[in-house]
Amino acid sequence: MKTEALDAVDLGLLHALQVDGRAPFSRIAEVLSVSDRTVARRFARLATTGAVRVTGVADSGRTGTAEWVVRLRVRPHRADALAHALAVRPDTAWVTVLSSGAEIVCVFRTAAAEPAPLPALARHSDVLGVDAQRLVRHLTRRRWHGRTSALDTDQVSALHAELPIDGGPIALTDLDRRMLPRLAADGRASYPGLAGALGWSESAVRRRLDELRRARVLRFDVEVDAALLGYAFQCLLWLTVTPRHLAAVGAALIEDPEIAFAGATTGPHNIIAVAICRDVDAVFDYVVERVGALPGVERLDTAPVTRYAKRAAPALTAR
């Protein structure tokens, strides 16, 4: 799809799904002042063309898993094949090709006490170097500005799911372990469809999904190509920040509309971030005038995103 193909209704629909990925089309239609049929038709068009995908994302901190940011130097002519192989693995949550295929960065999710699967990666003939650091804290808890600027405050409030938050501990059940992967693949999967696929009653599935959302174990995200929204340049930032400035730099970054994600990691670069800008000039200005000027930033490395092989949703096996 071309950028100009997205009109105000499309942008409002994307924002609405970012607020609540499972919001009924009737509620979204009321907020957007259009018909239910229009919303359903627009979503079908965006979904079938691959422009948008709603995915259920499990919170690693609430499910007892560790996240490892693994940076691979690879043979450029083999980067796409290797990225695809990583993307179809169930233990990867994010796979990105950088610098025209010179690098791949991925996030592995493992049991809390387990390391990232580095030995097998290091032995791969197309991998020239491996670096792995533990992601110790997600700094961003809000949605990227580019996907959440179409609706006003009242419209957003009308879309919020009316689920009381239960911050208590929760233990994953067999139903959860079977349901979460299906919601990762399709966050808007119907309750009857989930019940039939899982062999549980519809009421049990509905009740458990609500419990997972209230416990903040499960949230819903919208995958959409930033270029469709007019943002043509994305890059990863690795920051080395003095320890006493780390919290302040992290707090400053997450207020910037250019930052889609920021996290604190182990290693010499102790913050990783994803910046999304209109063009290469905009990212230059942002890096030089904003990030580079923050007190405590000792070093800043950047790498342009060539493509995403996997974001949060499971990758399709076909290439």
Side-chain angles (χ1 to χ4, degrees), residues 237-259:
L237 312 177
W238 285 273
L239 285 71
T240 301
V241 181
T242 55
R244 70 188 184 96
H245 288 102
L246 188 60
V249 169
L253 288 176
I254 63 176
E255 293 300 320
D256 293 344
E258 294 86 353
I259 295 299

Side-chain angles (χ1 to χ4, degrees), residues 1-3 13 45 52 61 73 94 125 140 190 208 224 247 250 252 258 270 281 286:
M1 294 182 65
K2 296 180 180 179
T3 303
L13 172 57
R45 177 174 65 93
V52 62
R73 289 190 301 107
W94 195 68
S125 60
T140 41
S190 69
R208 188 55 178 171
V224 58
E258 294 86 353
N270 44 17
D281 286 335
Y286 174 66

Side-chain angles (χ1 to χ4, degrees), residues 200-218:
W200 288 67
S201 70
E202 183 178 338
S203 61
V205 168
R206 184 186 296 270
R207 183 171 58 252
R208 188 55 178 171
L209 196 155
D210 288 347
E211 289 172 351
L212 292 174
R213 296 186 74 179
R214 287 199 301 270
R216 297 182 178 176
V217 170
L218 176 67

Side-chain angles (χ1 to χ4, degrees), residues 13-37:
L13 172 57
L14 290 176
H15 190 168
L17 291 171
Q18 197 69 76
V19 175
D20 181 1
R22 290 186 66 84
F25 287 151
S26 58
R27 190 194 308 163
I28 296 175
E30 183 177 356
V31 167
L32 299 182
S33 299
V34 297
S35 69
D36 298 12
R37 185 177 179 182

Side-chain angles (χ1 to χ4, degrees), residues 1 25 38 44 50-51 56 75 78 96 100 111 138 143 166 176 189 204 278 289 297:
M1 294 182 65
F25 287 151
T38 294
R75 302 184 192 279
R78 296 290 296 162
T96 309
S100 298
H138 287 233
R143 313 295 188 169
D166 178 6
D176 299 338
R278 294 286 183 183
E289 298 175 7
V297 175

Side-chain angles (χ1 to χ4, degrees), residues 67 91 241 271:
E67 291 182 315
D91 56 353
V241 181
I271 290 182

Side-chain angles (χ1 to χ4, degrees), residues 47 109 231 242 296 306:
R109 284 183 170 172
Y231 295 83
T242 55
T306 301

Side-chain angles (χ1 to χ4, degrees), residues 301-315:
D301 293 348
T302 61
V305 173
T306 301
R307 74 176 185 90
Y308 289 98
K310 183 178 187 179
R311 289 182 172 90

